[in-house]
């Protein structure tokens, strides 16, 4: 790789680093430049549809910007949501509250600002959770449906740029979490775990992505990891794609 191209790549990647931000949970900046969750063995939205009925009180915990919640078209008067990330909190106040959705700011899954036995259904996609607190605010026979990012998510990619970096959430594995839910008083209705590919078609997309989910890549910067990024670029030049591994698990739990 000649010096001119190396300098061009540095400028390109530093530009991606500079503009990396997110509105709600919108990854459209990377549309067509990377792929993930294309072949999970379950459909989170379809699973919710199996249990959701219009008369049920439903909470979306850690709703992001509320985009997915609104797509479900659950009656607003029976819908509640929480979010803890400050920019998304403001977005939810602007979009959800005027619709009549009971939105509350919350950044502590162990201290949710709703009364005991408030909900028939709680959904949570890639958000924080606490089994005991979830049990408290669910009605008897209420359901908690969650799709989660597992402990091994993107580990191979993280180790490419940050060798020996520690996993940020080592307990996020299906076997461990099932046991926690059972101890909190839940019956496990459904539980699945999956490892699937994540693919990047340019390193600029990877740089942007890493800064959005920075907890998986602590201390990353283009300057610090530049040589490693060049090695990753060589993989794309050779194969047309840089591939890593995502880790997901699904739990449907019923309050006994």
């Amino acid at each position: 790789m000649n010096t001119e191209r190396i300098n061009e790549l540095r400028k390109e990647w530093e530009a991606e680093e500079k503009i990396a931000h997110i509105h709600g949970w919108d990854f459209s900046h990377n549309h067509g430049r990377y792929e993930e969750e294309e072949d999970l063995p379950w459909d989170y939205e379809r699973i919710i549809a199996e249990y959701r009925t219009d008369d049920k009180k439903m909470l979306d915990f850690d709703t992001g910007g509320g985009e997915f919640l609104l797509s479900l078209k659950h009656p607003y008067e029976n819908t509640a949501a929480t979010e803890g990330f400050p920019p998304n909190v403001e977005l939810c106040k602007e979009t959800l509250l005027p619709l009549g959705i009971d939105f509350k700011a919350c950044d502590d899954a162990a201290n949710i600002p709703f009364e005991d036995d408030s909900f028939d259904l709680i959904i949570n996609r890639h958000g924080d959770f606490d089994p005991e607190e979830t049990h408290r605010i669910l009605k008897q026979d209420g359901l908690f449906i969650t799709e989660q990012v597992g402990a091994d998510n993107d580990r191979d990619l993280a180790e490419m740029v940050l060798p020996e970096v520690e996993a940020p959430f080592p307990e996020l594995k299906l076997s461990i979490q099932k046991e926690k839910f059972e101890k909190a008083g839940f019956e496990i209705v459904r539980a699945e775990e999956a490892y699937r590919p994540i693919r990047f078609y340019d390193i600029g997309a990877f740089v942007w992505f890493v800064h959005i989910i920075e907890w998986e890549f602590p201390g990353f910067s283009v300057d610090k990891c530049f040589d490693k990024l060049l090695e990753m670029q060589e993989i794309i030049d050779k194969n047309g794609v840089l591939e890593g591994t995502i880790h997901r698990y699904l739990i449907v739990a019923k309050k006994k």
Side-chain angles (χ1 to χ4, degrees), residues 1 5 9 201 230-242:
M1 195 179 300
R5 184 168 186 233
L9 288 172
Y201 298 102
L230 287 176
E231 292 175 7
M232 297 166 86
Q233 181 64 53
E234 290 177 353
I235 294 173
I236 289 184
D237 290 345
K238 179 181 179 181
N239 302 325
V241 64
L242 174 74

Side-chain angles (χ1 to χ4, degrees), residues 144-146 174 177-178 181 188 190-191 249-253:
F144 178 63
I145 302 174
T146 187
L174 182 61
Q177 296 307 319
K178 279 178 61 180
F181 275 95
I188 303 300
R190 181 171 178 176
Y249 65 91
L250 173 83
I251 293 176
V252 179

